[in-house]
Amino acid sequence: MFGLRKLRFVDIGTGLSMMIASAGLLAASALHAADPGCAYPSGPGVCNDKIFEDAAERLKNLHPAVCTAPGCAPAQAAPCVPAAPECGGDGAAAPTPWSLTDVFDDSCGRNHFKDNGWKLGGNLAQSYTFNFQSPTSRYNGPVTWTDQSNQYQLNQFWLYAEKATNTENKDFDIGGRIDMLYGTNARLTTESGLETSRWATGGVYGVALPNMYVETAYKKLKVKAGHFISPIGYFTVDTTQNFFNTIPYTYQWGEPFTHTGVLASYQLTDNLAVSSGFTRGWDNFDRHNPNLGYLGTWSYTFADKSNLAQVIVWSNEPNQQLSFTSRYYQSLVYTKPISEKLTYVGQSDFGTQDQAMYDGRRANWYGVNQYMFYKVNDKWTWGANFEWWRDEEGFRVAGFLPGGPYAHNMAPSGITGNFSGVPFATLPGGYNGNFYQFTVGPKWHPTANPNFFVRPNLRYDFYTGGTDSFLNGGRVMPYDSGTKMQQGLFVTDVCWVF
């Protein structure tokens, strides 16, 4: 179903089990070598074969009966040597996430990338969306990233390389990060002047580079320069980092996805962090937008582990008259752990732009998101999201979709990677009203391995309001190929993080 005939879960689980067993063998070997009775010689950088043979013999002699509740009691014949801080019922270590960097471990446990502070990784996300109305356009209106109805999508194949800066043991460090994204999400997350002029494929699949920056650090100060994902809001570009596989109107239509510029971050206290910098505006890489903009953030963590964070963006951005006018945007996110299992998240956003409309009117867009998450156990976490989002003048929602009247010229929203998207006739924009959506579903890890998870959810959307007579004179509605004011979706995806 998910297009991975050759990639079977049992094969992956077997491979991971072999790697975990190898790690346990290395750990046991190290313990044996540290034993005062171990007299086998070994020089620097040499793996002693005799140590591995004895370690293997020890592991072979272990028996599950040796470890008994409530603790791990050593038997006279063979001691219980747990591979984790606590010994489980079978003496085995709990599964740990596997990353692409682990491929480069050598037989002695060394890794050139890890040893030099580098991390390689990525993920694969594939989905199927069932639209209960089965629209003839095969699109889910303004709902993204799972925007295609009743069909399979490879949403993203993501790869990255990162060297995070670390000044715990030294004053200065330098690092950076680069990410590449291929899939149907790519065309919805591009920057004008970067992917738009290089990898426009003419279809729903494309390539994007969400991050491409260098970072320097001096003590508590970090300075990032280049192209990077916007810190604004609660959701982010990488779908596997979000709880749900569909995204709110607030994120898709209200906020920027990426910036190009310089951002300095400083940890003022253990609780307070601030950032400030300059960018080339919203979702812009080159001189499509010749203006400099401002990006600022602050985040405060309270004693009860709750957190309040705000992001402010100001810049001159394109309008419907194909000129640049002042745009201000802010997002406020509050996260509150109510108990060990229950977490609440609240978010409010507000955006405004001078002379944004075709007739010179100001445009405003704003909304509220409410989230609640309940962790049942390590395998199951349930979540719910209710959103109200208003596009007061009909300026944002669908106004700059691929194929829209403004995308070819100014690329003002970031949805510009190619011009094959929702047919313009079925989603012309100009929705000057209120969008609501309610989403509920679990995040499920079906195996003990944390690298795999599934996100099935139900989502209901509805719209109240009118349409702008100039932008949408035919009163085309947002859903069911332009004929309905509401829609219901069942969306599920399978994600593999590595």
Side-chain angles (χ1 to χ4, degrees):
M1 175 180 176
F2 298 103
L4 292 176
R5 292 186 177 182
K6 295 184 179 180
L7 186 61
R8 296 176 299 181
F9 288 117
V10 64
D11 296 332
I12 297 170
T14 303
L16 293 174
S17 300
M18 292 175 64
M19 284 185 282
I20 294 171
S22 299
L25 182 58
L26 289 172
S29 302
L31 290 172
H32 186 74
D35 193 324
C38 177
Y40 306 120
S42 60
V46 178
C47 296
N48 191 291
D49 293 338
K50 182 61 177 175
I51 293 177
F52 277 91
E53 292 175 6
D54 287 357
E57 188 66 23
R58 283 192 177 191
L59 292 176
K60 184 177 70 176
N61 292 332
L62 292 179
H63 189 276
V66 174
C67 297
T68 58
C72 189
Q76 293 182 356
C80 175
V81 183
E86 295 182 1
C87 184
D90 57 1
T96 56
W98 177 83
S99 74
L100 188 60
T101 322
D102 297 332
V103 171
F104 299 94
D105 288 346
D106 65 17
S107 58
C108 295
R110 297 184 298 260
N111 187 305
H112 179 76
F113 289 102
K114 292 180 184 178
D115 295 343
N116 289 278
W118 281 91
K119 182 178 180 180
L120 309 178
N123 58 71
L124 178 67
Q126 303 173 93
S127 70
Y128 187 91
T129 302
F130 176 74
N131 188 314
F132 294 98
Q133 295 166 327
S134 298
T136 57
S137 67
R138 303 297 296 272
Y139 281 91
N140 299 318
V143 175
T144 64
W145 288 317
T146 51
D147 60 333
Q148 299 174 54
S149 67
N150 303 337
Q151 57 186 310
Y152 162 87
Q153 288 180 255
L154 194 165
N155 298 98
Q156 67 179 43
F157 175 62
W158 189 297
L159 293 172
Y160 73 87
E162 177 186 30
K163 183 183 184 299
T165 54
N166 187 343
T167 55
E168 290 183 1
N169 300 316
K170 54 185 176 180
D171 289 343
F172 178 81
D173 197 12
I174 186 168
R177 176 167 175 144
I178 184 169
D179 296 62
M180 186 211 73
L181 156 65
Y182 172 80
T184 58
N185 289 4
R187 80 187 197 283
L188 303 174
T189 60
T190 56
E191 278 206 345
S192 55
L194 182 58
E195 302 94 346
T196 56
S197 59
R198 292 170 175 82
W199 302 307
T201 63
V204 296
Y205 285 86
V207 178
L209 296 175
N211 282 312
M212 189 170 52
Y213 64 83
V214 174
E215 183 175 82
T216 58
Y218 178 74
K219 295 185 178 180
K220 294 184 179 181
L221 175 67
K222 295 186 178 183
V223 179
K224 181 187 301 182
H227 169 50
F228 49 88
I229 293 173
S230 179
I232 201 165
Y234 183 64
F235 269 59
T236 190
V237 172
D238 181 0
T239 183
T240 65
Q241 301 299 309
N242 303 323
F243 187 87
F244 295 110
N245 46 39
T246 61
I247 60 178
Y249 295 97
T250 303
Y251 187 53
Q252 177 62 80
W253 303 110
E255 301 173 349
F257 287 163
T258 58
H259 302 286
T260 297
V262 178
L263 183 65
S265 303
Y266 190 79
Q267 190 75 37
L268 285 174
T269 68
D270 291 341
N271 304 91
L272 179 62
V274 297
S275 299
S276 186
F278 298 95
T279 72
R280 298 300 296 268
W282 290 39
D283 306 304
N284 176 66
F285 186 75
D286 63 5
R287 293 190 63 82
H288 278 76
N289 186 341
N291 306 292
L292 283 180
Y294 174 76
L295 172 63
T297 77
W298 61 267
S299 174
Y300 187 84
T301 302
F302 299 90
D304 64 352
K305 305 301 182 183
S306 61
N307 178 270
L308 183 64
Q310 184 180 35
V311 179
I312 295 173
V313 181
W314 175 85
S315 55
N316 286 320
E317 298 296 330
N319 61 15
Q320 290 183 347
Q321 302 176 54
L322 303 184
S323 62
F324 292 89
T325 56
S326 176
R327 180 186 297 176
Y328 171 84
Y329 198 87
Q330 70 170 35
S331 178
L332 193 66
V333 178
Y334 177 66
T335 304
K336 169 71 175 179
I338 298 174
S339 67
E340 290 185 359
K341 292 181 175 291
L342 190 64
T343 301
Y344 164 79
V345 178
Q347 176 182 352
S348 69
D349 282 48
F350 174 78
T352 183
Q353 182 169 344
D354 293 338
Q355 302 175 34
M357 303 299 293
Y358 57 87
D359 56 3
R361 284 178 293 153
R362 172 183 291 273
N364 301 294
W365 59 99
Y366 43 87
V368 174
N369 272 276
Q370 305 286 311
Y371 300 89
M372 195 69 77
F373 304 107
Y374 183 76
K375 183 176 181 179
V376 180
N377 50 43
D378 290 340
K379 289 189 175 183
W380 289 90
T381 300
W382 281 82
N385 168 221
F386 176 76
E387 177 186 23
W388 161 69
W389 195 79
R390 179 170 175 80
D391 190 2
E392 197 163 274
E393 284 70 34
F395 176 62
R396 293 299 300 176
V397 175
F400 300 115
L401 269 172
Y406 310 108
H408 292 268
N409 297 287
M410 306 303 287
S413 71
I415 308 180
T416 54
N418 61 62
F419 309 121
S420 297
V422 179
F424 180 69
T426 66
L427 196 68
Y431 301 109
N432 49 0
N434 304 287
F435 288 85
Y436 301 87
Q437 63 90 7
F438 178 72
T439 306
V440 62
K443 184 177 182 180
W444 173 43
H445 292 84
T447 68
N449 192 295
N451 291 84
F452 293 94
F453 58 87
V454 182
R455 297 180 296 182
N457 64 74
L458 285 168
R459 172 166 170 157
Y460 177 68
D461 298 78
F462 65 98
Y463 171 72
T464 62
T467 59
D468 184 276
S469 59
F470 176 77
L471 298 174
N472 189 349
R475 290 188 56 80
V476 177
M477 295 297 101
Y479 310 110
D480 195 8
S481 302
T483 64
K484 296 290 194 306
M485 300 280 277
Q486 77 284 323
Q487 74 176 2
L489 303 174
F490 174 73
V491 188
T492 188
D493 68 354
V494 174
C495 299
W496 177 35
V497 180
F498 50 85

